[in-house]
Amino acid sequence: MADLRVTYDRQANAAYVYFSDPGVNVARCYPCDPVAVDGMINLDFDDQGCLVGIEVLDASSKLPRHLLSAAERIDHEAT
């Protein structure tokens, strides 16, 4: 299995799951229905239509705790 990069900003309570290199240009963002998922999840696609990442808002209620604990911290508390 390929390495998966996950970043988490605790202050914003937002996580990002990368399926490609972070430098890949996001050409299109598809927001999932906030009512149906009880939150906001955005699917990011490149210009070829490939899924490059998923942004999860209110991440602490949507993602497993172990995943957020292991995620790369990008907030001001990261040291």
Side-chain angles (χ1 to χ4, degrees), residues 9-11 73-79:
D9 183 332
R10 184 173 169 182
Q11 293 172 338
R73 296 287 296 274
I74 59 171
D75 53 26
H76 296 294
E77 295 177 27
T79 54

Side-chain angles (χ1 to χ4, degrees), residues 31-79:
C32 294
D33 185 352
V35 175
V37 297
D38 192 27
M40 179 58 80
I41 298 173
N42 296 311
L43 305 176
D44 291 340
F45 296 88
D46 66 12
D47 56 358
Q48 301 297 313
C50 293
L51 182 64
V52 296
I54 300 174
E55 178 186 34
V56 181
L57 304 179
D58 194 18
S60 63
S61 73
K62 302 291 173 235
L63 296 173
R65 194 173 300 189
H66 73 274
L67 182 67
L68 295 179
S69 295
E72 175 186 338
R73 296 287 296 274
I74 59 171
D75 53 26
H76 296 294
E77 295 177 27
T79 54

